[in-house]
Amino acid sequence: MKLREIAALAGGTCEGDPELEILAAAALETAGPAEVSFVANRKAAEAAQESRAGCLLVPRDFPAGRTVVRCADPRASFAAVIEVLHPQPRPAAGVHPFASVAADCEIGAGSSIGAGCSIGPCVRIGKDCVIHPNVSIYHDVSLGDRVIVHSGCVLGADGFGLVATRDGYRKFPQSGRVEIESDVELGASCCIDRAALGVTSIGAGTKLDNMVHVGHNCRLGRNVVVAAQTGFSGGVVVEDWAVIGGQVGVGDKARIESGVVLGSGL
C-alpha cells in the first residue's frame, strides 16, 4: 500500500515520498521502515521521536521533519488502514453442518452460522451477519443486518423474574422477546435475556465487550459501548452514545442518559 493511498484512505495529506510502499501496520514502539503506526496523544508524540516507523498517522499540528500523514483523527484512520493491510478472514456464508437451526428461522443472504450453534424457532437473522461457533439463540429473537455475535453468547434466555410465595419462589413467566438492530457486535459469552413481557432491545451500532449481561426488558440505545463484565438489571434504559466501563453494575430500572460516561468498577 503506497503512502498516497494511505493518505486518501485517511482523508489526510502526506508529507514524504507518495510512492513509499507500506507493507504492514504495527505498534509505535516496534514499527519498522516498511510499517505504519499512529500518534494520538502527547505521550505517543514523545515516543514517536524514537520510532522507526516508515510512516506515522499524526494530528495536523504534529511537528514537521519525517514521513507522515496528517489527518483529523489518527486513531480512527489507523483502524481503517489496518482493515486494508490486514484483512480479517470472514466465515463463508451459510449454515455449518454441525449447527442446529429450527425449520421456521429466517436467515438473510450472506450470513454465516458457525459450528455448534443452536438457533431456535421464530428467529430472524438479517443479511451479512456472522454468528460464530457455539452461540445459542432461543426462540423469538431478531437480529438486524451485519450483526456479529461471538462464541459463547446466549440470546433470549429467560430473565431472572421470581415471585415470592408462602411455599417458596415461583418463576414469573418470561414471555417477551429480544430485538437486536443492525451493526451490533456482541463479545464472547454475552447474555441477552428476553423480556418478561414486551422487548429487550439493543440499538443499531452498539458494541458489547466480552461477558456482558443485559437483563430482561432492558433498552440499550444506538452506538452504546459497554466494556467487559458489566451487568444491567431488569428494565434498565441506556440512551444513545453512552459509554459504560468494565465491571459496572446497574440496578433495576436505572436510566443512563445520552452521552454519559461511567468509569470502570462502579
Side-chain angles (χ1 to χ4, degrees), residues 247-258:
Q247 296 186 327
V248 173
V250 183
D252 284 357
K253 298 181 174 58
R255 187 179 195 94
I256 299 169
E257 295 189 352
S258 180

Side-chain angles (χ1 to χ4, degrees), residues 239-243 256-261:
E239 296 184 353
D240 300 348
W241 292 100
V243 176
I256 299 169
E257 295 189 352
S258 180
V260 166
V261 177

Side-chain angles (χ1 to χ4, degrees), residues 9-88:
L9 186 61
T13 56
C14 64
E15 296 176 12
D17 179 6
E19 300 302 311
L20 175 67
E21 194 72 35
I22 297 296
L23 303 179
L28 191 62
E29 298 78 11
T30 61
E35 295 175 315
V36 60
S37 192
F38 75 105
V39 173
N41 53 45
R42 183 181 300 175
K43 183 177 180 180
E46 294 172 357
Q49 305 304 317
E50 306 297 326
S51 176
R52 297 176 58 249
C55 169
L56 294 175
L57 302 180
V58 299
R60 300 198 187 279
D61 60 354
F62 189 81
R66 62 179 300 164
T67 299
V68 299
V69 172
R70 299 184 186 275
C71 49
D73 188 338
R75 183 181 177 87
S77 297
F78 188 63
V81 170
I82 290 175
E83 289 180 351
V84 175
L85 288 174
H86 304 280
Q88 295 295 307

Side-chain angles (χ1 to χ4, degrees), residues 138-151:
Y138 288 36
H139 62 90
D140 294 310
V141 173
S142 67
L143 281 63
D145 299 332
R146 299 172 302 281
V147 173
I148 300 172
V149 183
H150 289 278
S151 293

Side-chain angles (χ1 to χ4, degrees), residues 185-236:
E185 183 164 0
L186 306 179
S189 298
C190 287
C191 292
I192 315 298
D193 291 348
R194 72 177 54 257
L197 299 168
V199 181
T200 301
S201 64
I202 298 180
T206 287
K207 316 294 184 185
L208 306 188
D209 196 359
N210 300 336
M211 296 183 289
V212 171
H213 175 229
V214 178
H216 63 84
N217 291 91
C218 286
R219 291 190 289 118
L220 275 58
R222 299 166 64 89
N223 299 305
V224 172
V225 175
V226 183
Q229 298 182 346
T230 286
F232 300 97
S233 298
V236 171

Side-chain angles (χ1 to χ4, degrees), residues 162-170:
L162 301 171
V163 179
T165 72
R166 182 175 301 175
D167 299 322
Y169 285 99
R170 181 186 182 91

